[in-house]
Amino acid sequence: MRLCCCLLLALSQIWSFSALANTEQQQRIEALSQELDIPLESLEKAAEQATYQQAVIDAITRPWEAKPWHLYRDLFLTEERLAAGLAFWQEHQETIERAEKEFKVPAQIIVAIIGVETYYGRHKGTYPVIDALYTLGFHYPKRGQFFSKEFAYYIRLAEQQGWALDEVKGSYAGAMGFGQFIPSSYIHYGVDFDNDGKVDMLNNPVDAIGSVANYFAKHRWQLGKPVVHAAESNTTQAKPWLSKKLEINNTWQELSQAGIKTEASLTNNTPVKLLELEEAEGNSYWLAEHNFYVITRYNRSPLYAMAVYQFSEQLRKAQAQTNAN
């Protein structure tokens, strides 16, 4: 009898927790419906259709950006990816040049982003986007507010695009297409760059190229301005100036007076941020400028931004060599 009572108590507690979770989910869905002006019925049906995916939770808790720089870098700066990038650049050269001219974003940055994100469309993701965003939005409290809103935006986007909710695959974070745009970015920054009447970043590299360039333009990329500079420092000098904040919040005068050095020609009032990257032996130091910050608007990781920048430089130099030949 005691065992039965304990079992009933446990089942009651599970039921109470489930009921609370369902109530909180319903309240959030109702709030999203009002906030984003999306029909409540559409959101409720989508939530019923979505499936919780433990693999999504597992993936977001061990992101690639948790690796040290020297291992993370080697995932992206490879001869194979460089060759694929040059082939993509050659195939879409006219489109890339048009995007650079129209949006004032360097060709190599556009090509590097698509290469880092999806290896030029080879790896767009295998998770159903509706499941990924539902899982993170309603079962990952740490970022539930953000991802539940992306879940709602996905419902709006799917209706706009005429997609079946369960047909689109993407990353564990619900990012889609060649450039891995989350739904809100797809809606706000996607462009119909081939003028065929629709924005298709899932299968159309032309729209993806234009949309990536537009994203950087809207986040105030400064054409012709630097991204980062190599610097010299030691741990004692660097420590007071290192911060997890991504904003460029110091000046070169402050850092130079602290003993940090660079071969770059910077004025005293140049805004910079000191970066420390973990190498196989010791650490390297860099001075980031505004354009580095812009790259982190795409992915909030300094490792990601540095990988994009260094890959873009490989692409630029290799493309110049190709043109020279």
Side-chain angles (χ1 to χ4, degrees):
M1 178 66 71
R2 183 175 179 181
L3 179 61
C4 290
C5 290
C6 290
L7 180 60
L8 287 173
L9 178 60
L11 290 173
S12 175
Q13 291 173 335
I14 292 172
W15 182 88
S16 297
F17 178 80
S18 177
L20 176 61
N22 287 337
T23 299
E24 291 177 346
Q25 176 177 304
Q26 182 62 29
Q27 290 174 343
R28 180 59 180 153
I29 287 173
E30 291 173 359
L32 288 167
S33 174
Q34 293 184 357
E35 178 183 354
L36 301 179
D37 193 25
I38 298 174
L40 178 60
E41 183 180 4
S42 297
L43 294 177
E44 289 176 335
K45 286 183 177 180
E48 291 174 1
Q49 184 177 340
T51 302
Y52 171 83
Q53 300 280 359
Q54 180 61 40
V56 169
I57 300 296
D58 295 341
I60 201 169
T61 54
R62 54 170 190 271
W64 286 357
E65 287 80 7
K67 297 178 182 293
W69 164 244
H70 64 95
L71 295 179
Y72 181 85
R73 172 189 59 210
D74 291 346
L75 295 171
F76 302 103
L77 275 69
T78 66
E79 290 300 318
E80 292 80 8
R81 198 180 300 258
L82 178 60
L86 291 174
F88 182 85
W89 197 335
Q90 181 177 4
E91 181 181 358
H92 301 286
Q93 185 163 356
E94 183 178 340
T95 298
I96 292 166
E97 289 176 354
R98 180 163 62 93
E100 180 179 58
K101 182 177 180 180
E102 182 172 333
F103 296 105
K104 296 180 172 53
V105 176
Q108 68 268 17
I109 289 290
I110 300 169
V111 178
I113 285 287
I114 297 174
V116 168
E117 288 293 342
T118 63
Y119 210 133
Y120 304 103
R122 297 182 193 181
H123 307 307
K124 296 178 187 174
T126 59
Y127 298 90
V129 169
I130 186 174
D131 292 348
L133 293 175
Y134 171 79
T135 298
L136 295 174
F138 300 102
H139 299 278
Y140 187 59
K142 183 178 179 180
R143 298 196 66 193
Q145 290 289 314
F146 173 81
F147 281 108
S148 61
K149 183 174 285 190
E150 290 303 320
F151 174 81
Y153 274 125
Y154 176 68
I155 307 313
R156 171 182 289 171
L157 180 62
E159 291 181 351
Q160 290 176 353
Q161 297 287 330
W163 299 334
L165 288 179
D166 59 355
E167 76 173 311
V168 181
K169 302 290 181 65
S171 74
Y172 65 78
M176 302 167 283
F178 280 88
Q180 293 290 275
F181 277 42
I182 56 175
S184 61
S185 293
Y186 201 120
I187 291 170
H188 294 138
Y189 304 111
V191 296
D192 174 17
F193 208 48
D194 63 356
N195 298 309
D196 67 349
K198 60 182 179 180
V199 178
D200 179 13
M201 285 187 275
L202 302 184
N203 304 299
N204 186 344
V206 175
D207 284 357
I209 289 165
S211 298
V212 168
N214 183 49
Y215 188 98
F216 276 84
K218 288 294 194 293
H219 286 83
R220 301 182 180 179
W221 181 273
Q222 296 175 351
L223 187 64
K225 297 292 186 178
V227 178
V228 295
H229 311 282
E232 295 179 15
S233 182
N234 58 47
T235 303
T236 302
Q237 292 170 330
K239 188 174 181 180
W241 305 100
L242 297 174
S243 169
K244 291 184 178 180
K245 293 182 178 180
L246 298 171
E247 290 77 13
I248 310 298
N249 50 15
N250 294 116
T251 65
W252 170 235
Q253 183 175 29
E254 292 175 312
L255 296 183
S256 63
Q257 288 177 346
I260 296 161
K261 296 179 171 57
T262 182
E263 293 184 1
S265 297
L266 302 175
T267 61
N268 283 339
N269 61 355
T270 300
V272 291
K273 173 181 173 58
L274 185 65
L275 304 173
E276 181 182 61
L277 300 180
E278 184 179 348
E279 305 289 353
E281 297 182 6
N283 295 326
S284 63
Y285 295 93
W286 301 81
L287 299 172
E289 292 202 37
H290 170 77
N291 281 340
F292 187 90
Y293 176 75
V294 175
I295 300 175
T296 67
R297 300 305 82 204
Y298 209 96
N299 180 311
R300 294 179 60 83
S301 164
L303 300 189
Y304 174 90
M306 185 61 78
V308 166
Y309 167 69
Q310 290 194 359
F311 184 44
S312 76
E313 285 297 284
Q314 284 188 337
L315 286 162
R316 180 183 63 80
K317 292 173 184 176
Q319 178 72 356
Q321 184 64 40
T322 300
N323 291 340
N325 295 335

